[in-house]
């Protein structure tokens, strides 16, 4: 396991789940999944990791057209007319808002595995990487399955570490991340996330 992983405990648990559900030989995982596709439904921790990473780094965004007579109200009850404005929904900010997320700056897959009585249980509607409502992402169910398959096949076989040039410099970081997100149409890791991948 990579000693440079930012969340070695999460990576360890993820790999343990893959060993349990997909068998101890990572090279055989793809064939096992092909023969038993329902196994993706047993990857509960993997799903929690995917959801928490999509909370931390929501890669997409969306806009809505404003209309005369339609206003939006903020959490201090200020009403803002939208008229001809273009409303850009800032998913990164919503997903890091401490009003909606307990321990918002911690990557905690556990919040997706606890019951509603737990303090980490997500506020309904606060997680919206695919947005909500009638225009929400039509690919979301498929992409979650894809991510589970890809992680199940690769998370035990590859170590990925950032390879940004130069010393770690706080001035080039945001919220403690060197690979912070920048908007390039949708959000991407800054400088395209130069990284080194090692086959384990
Ligand atoms: C992690 C991957 C993805 C993320 C985070 C994502 C996120 C989003 C978001 C935020 C929207 C805007 C929804 C809105 O405005 O209410 C959207 C729309 C859409 N997405 Fe995705 N998406 C992903 C992958 C995919 C994939 C794989 C497909 C197709 C196979 C897809 C197809 C679409 C389509 C067609 C729309 C437009 C829906 C509409 O306007 O009615 N997306 N997606």
């Amino acid at each position: 396991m990579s000693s440079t992983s930012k969340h070695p405990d999460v990576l360890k648990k993820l790999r343990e789940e893959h060993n349990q559900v997909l068998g101890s030989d990572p090279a055989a995982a793809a064939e096992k999944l092909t023969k038993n596709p329902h196994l993706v439904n047993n990857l509960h921790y993997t799903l929690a990791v995917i959801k928490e990473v999509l909370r931390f780094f929501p890669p997409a965004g969306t806009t809505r057209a404003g209309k005369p007579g339609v206003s939006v109200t903020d959490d201090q009850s200020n009403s803002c007319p939208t008229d001809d404005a273009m409303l850009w929904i800032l998913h990164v900010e919503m997903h890091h808002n401490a009003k909606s997320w307990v321990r918002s700056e911690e990557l905690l897959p556990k919040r997706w595995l606890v019951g509603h009585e737990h303090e980490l249980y997500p506020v309904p509607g606060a997680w919206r990487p695919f947005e909500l409502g009638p225009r929400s992402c039509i690919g979301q169910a498929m992409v979650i399955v894809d991510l589970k398959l890809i992680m199940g096949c690769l998370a035990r076989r590859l170590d990925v570490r950032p390879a940004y040039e130069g010393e770690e410099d706080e001035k080039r970081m945001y919220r403690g991340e060197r690979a912070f997100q920048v908007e390039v149409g949708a959000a991407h890791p800054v400088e395209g996330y130069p990284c080194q991948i090692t086959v384990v």
Side-chain angles (χ1 to χ4, degrees):
M1 191 175 70
S2 168
S3 58
T4 59
S5 167
K6 282 191 83 171
H7 303 282
D9 51 330
V10 173
L11 184 58
K12 185 166 177 273
K13 275 193 191 171
L14 187 76
R15 288 173 166 172
E16 279 168 7
E17 180 172 83
H18 295 167
N19 282 338
Q20 277 163 18
V21 176
L22 305 174
S24 56
D25 178 6
E31 199 183 337
K32 192 156 184 175
L33 279 162
T34 306
K35 286 187 182 151
N36 309 282
H38 65 277
L39 286 176
V40 289
N41 296 330
N42 298 345
L43 295 172
H44 305 295
Y45 189 74
T46 307
L47 178 59
V49 171
I50 292 168
K51 285 186 163 181
E52 185 66 345
V53 171
L54 284 173
R55 177 184 77 83
F56 231 74
F57 298 111
T62 191
T63 57
R64 291 289 183 270
K67 279 185 192 161
V70 175
S71 53
V72 289
T73 309
D74 70 15
D75 54 6
Q76 277 143 31
S77 303
N78 300 307
S79 181
C80 176
T82 64
D83 289 0
D84 298 320
M86 180 64 81
L87 310 181
W88 191 349
I89 302 172
L90 294 177
H91 289 86
V92 179
E93 295 309 318
M94 288 197 299
H95 282 184
H96 285 264
N97 188 338
K99 286 182 186 161
S100 305
W101 299 97
V102 175
R103 296 164 65 186
S104 60
E105 293 313 300
E106 293 175 58
L107 189 102
L108 297 173
K110 181 181 167 187
R111 67 174 89 243
W112 301 102
L113 299 167
V114 295
H116 62 87
E117 69 295 339
H118 197 284
E119 60 155 2
L120 286 174
Y121 189 75
V123 174
W127 185 79
R128 41 206 310 147
F130 301 105
E131 257 313 316
L132 301 170
R135 296 304 298 267
S136 68
C137 176
I138 61 163
Q140 56 189 289
M142 187 194 81
V143 90
I144 292 278
V145 173
D146 283 353
L147 287 170
K148 286 203 269 185
L149 292 173
I150 292 165
M151 287 168 73
C153 292
L154 295 182
R156 289 174 292 172
R157 306 189 76 186
L158 304 177
D159 273 340
V160 182
R161 66 190 72 193
Y164 285 101
E165 279 186 17
E167 294 295 308
E168 202 161 90
D169 176 358
E170 271 189 28
K171 286 188 198 139
R172 304 182 72 187
M173 295 171 87
Y174 181 63
R175 285 194 173 120
E177 300 290 347
R178 180 63 184 90
F180 59 88
Q181 286 179 300
V182 288
E183 291 289 337
V184 190
H188 292 68
V190 69
E191 291 172 36
Y193 188 63
C195 62
Q196 187 182 50
I197 298 178
T198 314
V199 178
V200 178

